[in-house]
């Protein structure tokens, strides 16, 4: 799955890579989390556009979003069938610019976070589907989910799911929603090739959404990992019962 990601490339470099018309200026983000506004690239009237959308897709048919599960990911194996995604995958496909993402690997009784990125350091384009939810009072909310796939053999060592990444040469094919047919994009919804990504352990500071700085990306050593591991709680021993008073009293 993908529950946190990073976007650190310069806005001008991302605009050149993704080819959208707007010229947004935004700061680097080192700990992007669900429910936050995130950049989405999509095609409208033949041109690519950049727009912020809430991470957590909300289908148009939802009556009350307060009682609806937050959909941050859409599984590639079922995206064509699930009511929440089956229209969006055909008509509203987008790309989310990023430079990497975090995943947590179970290690004993704790979870160790890792930063995952392309081995060549290039930016990513996460495959995404989006919807516009309209409220009873006419309010609109643009929402998005990241498409995921079963992990390749190497990345499966961290987690069994990975975000689908679209290569720049396939941007046009993924974004082209002029037809309801999705046969052309089905081969794109797959895990990265073995060796395409690299990763390293990072500080558990990333666990807190409030932490959003470049130190989160730094690799940590085995000693630092051990130092961050939660210490076992000490169990207080019950005091021994006092012996019955023998009439002499006691100072202890």
């Amino acid at each position: 799955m993908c529950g946190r990601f990073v976007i650190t490339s310069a806005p001008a470099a991302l605009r050149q890579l993704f080819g959208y018309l707007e010229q947004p200026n935004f700061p680097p983000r080192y700990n992007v989390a669900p429910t936050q506004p995130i950049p989405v690239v999509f095609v409208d009237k033949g041109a690519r556009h950049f727009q912020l959308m809430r991470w957590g897709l909300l289908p148009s048919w939802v009556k009350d979003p307060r009682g609806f599960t937050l959909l941050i990911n859409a599984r590639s194996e079922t995206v064509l069938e699930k009511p929440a995604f089956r229209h969006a995958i055909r008509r509203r496909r987008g790309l989310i610019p990023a430079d990497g993402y975090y995943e947590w690997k179970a290690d004993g009784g704790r979870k160790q976070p890792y930063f995952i990125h392309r081995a060549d350091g290039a930016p990513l384009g996460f495959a995404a589907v989006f919807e516009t939810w309209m409220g009873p009072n006419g309010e609109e909310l643009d929402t998005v989910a990241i498409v995921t796939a079963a992990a390749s053999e190497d990345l499966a060592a961290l987690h069994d799911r990975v975000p689908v990444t679209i290569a720049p040469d396939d941007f046009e094919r993924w974004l082209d929603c002029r037809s309801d047919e999705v046969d052309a994009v089905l081969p794109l919804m797959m895990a990265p090739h073995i060796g395409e990504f690299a990763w390293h352990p990072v500080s558990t500071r990333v666990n807190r959404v409030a932490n959003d700085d470049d130190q989160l990306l730094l690799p940590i050593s085995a000693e630092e990992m051990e130092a961050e591991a939660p210490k076992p709680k000490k169990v207080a021993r019950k005091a021994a019962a006092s012996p019955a008073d023998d009439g002499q009293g006691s100072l202890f």
Side-chain angles (χ1 to χ4, degrees):
M1 63 174 293
C2 180
R4 301 280 183 86
F5 70 90
V6 169
I7 176 169
T8 56
S9 290
L14 291 177
R15 181 172 183 259
Q16 182 177 11
L17 176 62
F18 288 89
Y20 43 80
L21 296 177
E22 295 76 13
Q23 300 185 48
N25 187 21
F26 47 87
R29 293 291 312 280
Y30 299 93
N31 199 3
V32 182
T35 74
Q36 294 178 349
I38 63 174
V40 180
V41 180
F42 62 97
V43 169
D44 183 43
K45 297 178 181 177
R48 294 184 192 176
H49 295 277
F50 173 106
Q51 183 176 322
L52 294 178
M53 300 184 186
R54 190 198 74 164
W55 186 9
L57 187 139
L58 195 59
S60 58
W61 41 261
V62 171
K63 294 291 190 293
D64 185 357
R66 293 173 298 180
F68 190 77
T69 303
L70 191 67
L71 301 175
I72 65 171
N73 294 152
R75 296 173 68 95
S76 60
E77 298 91 340
T78 58
V79 69
L80 291 172
E81 307 161 7
K82 295 292 185 181
F85 305 120
R86 62 189 180 195
H87 296 299
I89 189 62
R90 290 176 170 84
R91 306 300 296 173
R92 288 172 289 280
R93 294 189 298 273
L95 292 166
I96 297 174
D99 288 270
Y101 66 100
Y102 299 104
E103 193 56 80
W104 282 257
K105 179 183 178 182
D107 184 7
R110 62 192 179 97
K111 289 188 175 182
Q112 173 61 45
Y114 287 78
F115 176 57
I116 305 167
H117 56 92
R118 279 189 57 89
D120 60 9
L124 315 172
F126 290 144
V129 292
F130 61 92
E131 283 280 9
T132 298
W133 179 80
M134 295 189 64
N137 298 318
E139 66 270 30
E140 293 186 359
L141 181 63
D142 295 312
T143 65
V144 65
I146 295 173
V147 180
T148 67
S152 49
E153 186 177 349
D154 54 350
L155 285 168
L158 300 180
H159 198 277
D160 61 350
R161 306 290 300 177
V162 295
V164 170
T165 53
I166 306 297
D169 289 345
D170 293 318
F171 282 178
E172 184 174 357
R173 178 157 51 134
W174 176 258
L175 294 173
D176 185 0
C177 298
R178 290 174 295 180
S179 169
D180 281 344
E181 295 299 324
V182 293
D183 291 348
V185 301
L186 292 180
L188 302 180
M189 291 191 289
M190 57 185 295
H193 298 299
I194 294 176
E196 192 175 345
F197 278 66
W199 56 88
H200 58 259
V202 295
S203 170
T204 53
R205 289 184 61 241
V206 74
N207 295 356
R208 294 190 66 237
V209 175
N211 294 328
D212 190 355
D213 57 76
D214 58 0
Q215 300 298 301
L216 297 179
L217 304 184
L218 297 179
I220 65 173
S221 64
E223 291 77 14
E224 291 171 315
M225 291 170 60
E226 186 63 29
E228 287 190 342
K231 303 298 184 292
K233 294 182 179 180
K234 293 182 179 179
V235 179
R237 293 184 178 180
K238 292 184 179 180
S242 299
D245 191 292
D246 60 1
Q248 300 299 315
S250 175
L251 294 177
F252 305 99

